[in-house]
Amino acid sequence: MTDGGGIALVTGAAHGIGFEVCRQLAERGWTVVLTARAVDRARAAADALAGLPGKVHARALDVADEASARALAADIGWSLGRVDALVNNAAA
């Protein structure tokens, strides 16, 4: 993990290891897409990381649902343009 760059997508990130990965990435200046099955849980987790150097985006993702994954991919393609790192932490 390098400082200052990149866009990371972290699945299952509302708490536990996924949340800690998001925290460490944002602390190093990464842009983080923090995902959870319920967007309200993702937003609460992202809000807890406010103030770190990196920007944290909350998004809904159910890794067991292809439509959910496709919707997130389209959203990221439109809003961020790419993903440099994927941390698949979801326990599906």
Side-chain angles (χ1 to χ4, degrees), residues 58-76:
R59 296 291 186 271
L61 173 63
D62 181 346
V63 298
D65 179 3
E66 185 175 342
S68 176
R70 287 185 185 278
L72 179 62
D75 177 41
I76 289 172

Side-chain angles (χ1 to χ4, degrees), residues 6-77:
I7 299 170
L9 169 66
V10 184
T11 68
H15 63 279
I17 292 169
F19 179 80
E20 180 61 18
V21 168
C22 290
R23 187 193 67 74
Q24 288 188 27
L25 287 166
E27 192 173 72
R28 288 170 172 80
W30 282 65
T31 297
V32 178
V33 181
L34 183 157
T35 70
R37 281 181 288 184
V39 73
D40 57 327
R41 291 183 52 205
R43 284 188 189 123
D47 289 348
L49 300 176
L52 294 175
K55 183 156 179 66
V56 180
H57 301 268
R59 296 291 186 271
L61 173 63
D62 181 346
V63 298
D65 179 3
E66 185 175 342
S68 176
R70 287 185 185 278
L72 179 62
D75 177 41
I76 289 172

